[in-house]
Amino acid sequence: MEEYKFAEFGSRLKALREQSHIKQGQFADKIGIVRQSMSNYENGKHCPDVEVLKRMAKCLGCSVDYLLGLTEHKNYETNVEFDESLSILSKALFSIPEPFRNKWLDVLVGTAQWLGKDLNTNAHLNFSAVVFFNALTELAGYCIEAEGKKADDCYSEEIASSYRRKRFSTIHTLRNELNNLDVISNEMIEQNEGGE
């Protein structure tokens, strides 16, 4: 069996074309190549010349570097946004005391790697996990805010009541998503056991 050299390029090209809802033949016509060449590119058998790459990238709204797998950012704007987000994350992590920082970093990296494997494998599981982590972060945020208000001596009964409502709502979300995760993960495990 032939080993395709340009598999990543081909899969990115096909994914972007399909996201744009353009048929393979239409895309080939649009960028001025024969349809067989387009099929070979998407199957990873060949890589086009620079001029064709530029036309593809322009038509798909991405950079040539992204098509070739040299970056994970579709274009310059997403790269800038990512750098800004990374800077904010770095500052936030640096503000956490050392023993906890490493634990948070491990959780963030582990979660990102897990979600990055294949978001479509089980969308319900991934969605519930993200909602759960988000609610957990919100709960921690409410607690920290409340402590800050207490330290500033501006913690009234009205503020306390507001934080109790937020806490109750967030705990309710956490319980629901934990139940969802339990059901989904149990179904996935039982399906896998049944298939063996």
Side-chain angles (χ1 to χ4, degrees):
M1 184 174 170
E2 182 179 358
E3 183 181 337
Y4 295 157
K5 296 179 181 177
F6 306 106
E8 185 172 3
F9 163 73
S11 63
R12 285 189 180 204
L13 176 62
K14 183 177 181 179
L16 287 169
R17 177 185 59 75
E18 288 176 345
Q19 287 169 14
S20 300
H21 305 290
I22 304 171
K23 291 184 179 174
Q24 192 181 67
Q26 292 172 325
F27 188 75
D29 294 342
K30 195 170 186 175
I31 60 171
I33 62 171
V34 296
R35 295 178 183 206
Q36 183 59 46
S37 292
M38 187 64 197
S39 176
N40 287 336
Y41 296 149
E42 287 192 357
N43 289 327
K45 294 179 183 178
H46 302 288
C47 189
D49 64 35
V50 174
E51 287 307 312
V52 174
L53 273 170
K54 285 190 209 174
R55 291 197 301 267
M56 286 176 167
K58 185 175 181 182
C59 186
L60 295 169
C62 69
S63 69
V64 169
D65 282 355
Y66 180 78
L67 272 177
L68 294 174
L70 300 173
T71 180
E72 295 305 313
H73 307 291
K74 285 188 181 178
N75 52 46
Y76 175 74
E77 289 77 19
T78 56
N79 194 17
V80 169
E81 287 171 13
F82 180 78
D83 285 347
E84 288 172 0
S85 298
L86 198 57
S87 177
I88 292 166
L89 178 62
S90 179
K91 287 176 185 173
L93 283 171
F94 188 74
S95 68
I96 300 171
E98 186 62 43
F100 300 111
R101 183 185 318 152
N102 292 337
K103 290 185 189 247
W104 271 106
L105 192 55
D106 288 346
V107 168
L108 287 170
V109 169
T111 304
Q113 288 172 339
W114 173 65
L115 288 172
K117 281 182 184 174
D118 188 358
L119 274 173
N120 296 320
T121 301
N122 192 305
H124 295 299
L125 178 67
N126 289 323
F127 180 76
S128 284
V130 170
V131 172
F132 183 83
F133 282 126
N134 188 51
L136 194 58
T137 305
E138 280 183 9
L139 182 62
Y142 296 147
C143 294
I144 291 167
E145 283 177 24
E147 285 295 315
K149 293 204 181 285
K150 285 179 186 175
D152 293 341
D153 288 330
C154 59
Y155 195 71
S156 65
E157 182 53 42
E158 185 179 333
I159 291 173
S161 176
S162 169
Y163 279 115
R164 278 193 292 273
R165 283 193 303 275
K166 289 177 182 178
R167 178 187 163 276
F168 179 77
S169 174
T170 309
I171 292 287
H172 183 72
T173 300
L174 282 167
R175 284 181 182 146
N176 284 344
E177 293 311 320
L178 193 55
N179 284 338
N180 287 341
L181 286 167
D182 180 40
V183 170
I184 294 165
S185 61
N186 188 49
E187 286 174 357
M188 290 174 73
I189 289 168
E190 287 193 5
Q191 284 174 357
N192 289 339
E193 288 175 349
E196 291 177 354

